[in-house]
Amino acid sequence: MSLAPEISEKLRLSFGRQSMMATFGAEIDEIALGQVTLRAAINDGCKQQHGFAHAALTFGLGDSAAGYSALSVMPLEAEVLTSEMKIHLLAPAQGEYLEAVGKVIKPGKRLVIVQAEVFAVANDSRTQVALMTGTMVPLLPR
Amino acid sequence: MSLAPEISEKLRLSFGRQSMMATFGAEIDEIALGQVTLRAAINDGCKQQHGFAHAALTFGLGDSAAGYSALSVMPLEAEVLTSEMKIHLLAPAQGEYLEAVGKVIKPGKRLVIVQAEVFAVANDSRTQVALMTGTMVPLLPR
Amino acid sequence: MSLAPEISEKLRLSFGRQSMMATFGAEIDEIALGQVTLRAAINDGCKQQHGFAHAALTFGLGDSAAGYSALSVMPLEAEVLTSEMKIHLLAPAQGEYLEAVGKVIKPGKRLVIVQAEVFAVANDSRTQVALMTGTMVPLLPR
Amino acid sequence: MSLAPEISEKLRLSFGRQSMMATFGAEIDEIALGQVTLRAAINDGCKQQHGFAHAALTFGLGDSAAGYSALSVMPLEAEVLTSEMKIHLLAPAQGEYLEAVGKVIKPGKRLVIVQAEVFAVANDSRTQVALMTGTMVPLLPR
């Protein structure tokens, strides 16, 4: 099943309203039904104390990718909120940019269970730096 | 038991090297043995799509507070890395600033289990917006 | 606010229908509004390979205590399901019995965020062996 | 790379020492390097209040499968402890038996990050009922 164009448009508009994504320099890479990929350059303003990308960037990108994957399977009028998220940091986040692939594990009316994998990408390398699982909640107008 | 001044100084130096904390406008509020409090204004560049502070800010502040609480109980030569962290988002993060209180649940040589509570603070209100638990790993020079 | 007797009765009936709790020899220790305490002896059939109580017992007791704490704040006709749960195992579970204290962190119509602390109790010692946080979902008849 | 026979034997002996696995009627289905599959019948003594397999069984089986997958990549003299584990319960656990597939996500000297997927199996159906991620700690003799 493919994604309706108005859902894709809704996601892009929502993403555009997240000023944190602009601060991170994040972009949408790909939107599909139940799977959304985001990316952000690892630049000078997003580091932790050892010079790697900060976990807040990894988390923020993965959380948004996961949230939008959930939103892609919800009704057009729905919004989405993260209820909880766990992140395993698997390797230092170094390279040119981070790529976060969010996807729906289990859709549902009241909860959508999601996963995100975050990769650090450099010239020829693509290293998984995080694995995340979480719970997204649809918000529907009354 | 109180915190050795050189440990406190080490934490401040480490915090100062995190460019993400500068991007967030975050500051150290208080350092004690096994407990560290950070804060950051909720400004225009850190919002999600509904106008609340982005989960990446909440997570980043809580993760750093928790990490530094762990570092405060480690040997002077140790560094610290987050291995995993779970966050429950309990309420919309709106107000003047976020305050994250990180503390050690269980110290250890190989792992330090930590918790963080994040609050959104406005004039007279202080609302808990997140509860986090996680695992910090000491890094020791060989 | 105190707990309505019919809610307390509902919890006891539900607990009585869990054959796993009988297999574990678990009992209800205390039911209050938003907080439920369970206990189970650490007997020969519930051990892991080092002779301590198995994490399945710790988890099962904590999950049930947390679930019933959530059920205690739900409408009388509701049932409850665990959606997700994280457990930190803090110390070996050894002693006479385990005591799990579940409580509501944040009530809600669609989700109830809960916590459980599990203790291993012996003669004069009471050691926290686990910290759990999770998400409970109310099930309502249509 | 295949699994050394003495590692496989070590896992079987360790599994045999877990009285909880005997109480659950659990068995080892398959041991490979970095991946272990366990199963247990869904019998009358392991139910929750709605008649499905209790989360303690699902958790216990998944935790053990994940722990043994970690042990399979550790040195022969190592033992393993679960430090933390998150479980998402995805569907009611009903059927003839549960099958838990544990595998190593990231090996390491101090921590091994693991995942487990638990399935409820009946005649011709195999439904994923849980997704787990966690942290295993090697214990080495001094």
Side-chain angles (χ1 to χ4, degrees):
Chain A
M1 218 173 101
S2 70
L3 186 66
E6 60 268 31
I7 296 276
S8 178
E9 180 63 13
K10 178 179 85 163
L11 264 61
R12 289 181 192 281
L13 286 172
S14 174
F15 186 85
R17 283 196 301 271
Q18 292 205 50
S19 65
M20 183 61 99
M21 290 296 112
T23 297
F24 284 163
E27 294 173 12
I28 296 174
D29 193 55
E30 198 178 3
I31 298 178
L33 188 64
Q35 183 167 319
V36 170
T37 305
L38 304 178
R39 62 168 66 184
I42 300 177
N43 59 40
D44 284 346
C46 71
K47 304 288 180 65
Q48 39 87 289
Q49 69 276 23
H50 307 116
F52 305 126
H54 198 281
L57 179 65
T58 307
F59 177 88
L61 211 62
D63 176 51
S64 286
Y68 285 125
S69 76
L71 196 57
S72 78
V73 302
M74 292 180 189
L76 186 58
E77 65 276 20
E79 298 287 338
V80 64
L81 280 181
T82 303
S83 174
E84 61 78 29
M85 184 68 68
K86 185 195 189 191
I87 184 168
H88 283 279
L89 294 162
L90 303 173
Q94 53 187 332
E96 292 167 30
Y97 62 91
L98 292 185
E99 182 183 298
V101 183
K103 63 182 170 189
V104 172
I105 297 291
K106 187 201 166 196
K109 277 188 189 172
R110 295 194 298 175
L111 298 176
V112 178
I113 310 306
V114 292
Q115 180 181 292
E117 294 177 302
V118 188
F119 303 87
V121 186
N123 277 332
D124 289 341
S125 70
R126 188 166 180 271
T127 306
Q128 186 170 355
V129 297
L131 173 63
M132 302 164 68
T133 60
T135 305
M136 296 288 162
V137 180
L139 284 184
L140 289 162
R142 313 225 168 163
Chain B
M1 218 174 100
S2 70
L3 187 66
E6 60 267 31
I7 296 276
S8 178
E9 180 63 13
K10 178 179 85 163
L11 264 61
R12 290 181 191 281
L13 285 172
S14 173
F15 185 86
R17 284 196 300 271
Q18 292 204 49
S19 65
M20 183 61 99
M21 290 297 112
T23 297
F24 284 164
E27 293 174 12
I28 296 174
D29 194 54
E30 197 177 3
I31 298 178
L33 188 65
Q35 183 166 318
V36 170
T37 305
L38 305 177
R39 61 169 66 185
I42 300 177
N43 59 39
D44 284 345
C46 71
K47 303 289 180 65
Q48 40 87 290
Q49 70 275 23
H50 306 116
F52 304 126
H54 199 280
L57 179 64
T58 308
F59 176 88
L61 210 63
D63 175 52
S64 286
Y68 285 125
S69 76
L71 195 58
S72 79
V73 301
M74 291 179 188
L76 186 58
E77 66 275 19
E79 298 287 337
V80 65
L81 280 182
T82 303
S83 174
E84 60 78 30
M85 184 68 68
K86 184 194 190 193
I87 183 168
H88 283 279
L89 294 161
L90 303 173
Q94 53 187 331
E96 294 166 30
Y97 63 90
L98 292 185
E99 182 183 298
V101 183
K103 63 182 170 191
V104 172
I105 297 291
K106 186 202 166 195
K109 277 188 188 171
R110 295 194 299 174
L111 298 176
V112 177
I113 310 305
V114 292
Q115 179 180 293
E117 295 178 302
V118 187
F119 302 88
V121 186
N123 276 331
D124 289 342
S125 69
R126 189 166 179 270
T127 306
Q128 187 170 355
V129 297
L131 174 63
M132 303 164 68
T133 60
T135 305
M136 296 287 162
V137 179
L139 284 183
L140 289 162
R142 314 227 168 161
Chain C
M1 219 173 99
S2 70
L3 187 67
E6 60 267 32
I7 296 276
S8 179
E9 180 63 12
K10 178 179 84 162
L11 265 60
R12 290 180 192 283
L13 285 173
S14 174
F15 186 86
R17 284 196 300 271
Q18 292 204 50
S19 64
M20 183 61 99
M21 290 296 112
T23 297
F24 285 163
E27 293 174 12
I28 296 174
D29 194 54
E30 198 177 4
I31 298 178
L33 189 64
Q35 183 167 320
V36 169
T37 304
L38 304 178
R39 62 169 66 184
I42 300 177
N43 59 40
D44 284 345
C46 71
K47 303 287 180 68
Q48 39 88 288
Q49 71 275 23
H50 307 115
F52 305 126
H54 199 280
L57 178 66
T58 307
F59 176 89
L61 209 63
D63 176 52
S64 286
Y68 285 124
S69 77
L71 195 58
S72 78
V73 302
M74 291 179 189
L76 186 58
E77 65 276 19
E79 296 287 337
V80 66
L81 280 181
T82 302
S83 174
E84 61 77 31
M85 184 67 68
K86 185 194 189 192
I87 184 168
H88 283 279
L89 294 162
L90 303 173
Q94 53 187 330
E96 292 166 32
Y97 62 91
L98 292 185
E99 181 183 298
V101 183
K103 63 182 168 191
V104 172
I105 298 290
K106 186 201 166 196
K109 276 188 190 172
R110 295 194 297 175
L111 299 176
V112 177
I113 311 305
V114 292
Q115 179 180 293
E117 295 178 301
V118 187
F119 302 87
V121 186
N123 276 331
D124 288 342
S125 69
R126 189 166 180 270
T127 306
Q128 187 171 355
V129 297
L131 173 63
M132 302 165 68
T133 60
T135 305
M136 295 288 161
V137 180
L139 284 184
L140 288 162
R142 315 228 167 162
Chain D
M1 217 173 99
S2 70
L3 186 67
E6 61 267 33
I7 295 277
S8 178
E9 180 64 12
K10 178 179 83 162
L11 266 60
R12 289 180 193 282
L13 285 173
S14 173
F15 185 86
R17 283 196 300 270
Q18 292 204 51
S19 64
M20 182 62 99
M21 290 296 112
T23 297
F24 284 164
E27 294 174 13
I28 296 174
D29 194 54
E30 198 177 2
I31 298 178
L33 188 64
Q35 182 166 320
V36 169
T37 305
L38 305 178
R39 62 169 64 184
I42 300 177
N43 59 38
D44 284 346
C46 71
K47 303 288 179 68
Q48 40 87 289
Q49 70 276 23
H50 307 116
F52 305 126
H54 199 280
L57 178 65
T58 307
F59 177 89
L61 210 63
D63 175 52
S64 286
Y68 285 124
S69 77
L71 196 58
S72 77
V73 302
M74 292 180 188
L76 186 59
E77 65 275 20
E79 297 287 337
V80 64
L81 280 182
T82 302
S83 174
E84 60 78 30
M85 184 68 67
K86 184 194 189 192
I87 184 168
H88 283 279
L89 295 162
L90 303 173
Q94 54 186 328
E96 292 167 33
Y97 63 91
L98 292 184
E99 181 183 298
V101 183
K103 63 182 170 192
V104 172
I105 297 291
K106 186 200 165 197
K109 276 189 189 172
R110 294 194 298 175
L111 298 177
V112 177
I113 310 305
V114 291
Q115 179 180 292
E117 295 178 301
V118 187
F119 303 87
V121 186
N123 276 332
D124 289 341
S125 70
R126 189 166 179 269
T127 306
Q128 187 171 356
V129 298
L131 173 63
M132 303 165 67
T133 61
T135 304
M136 295 287 161
V137 180
L139 285 184
L140 288 162
R142 314 231 167 157

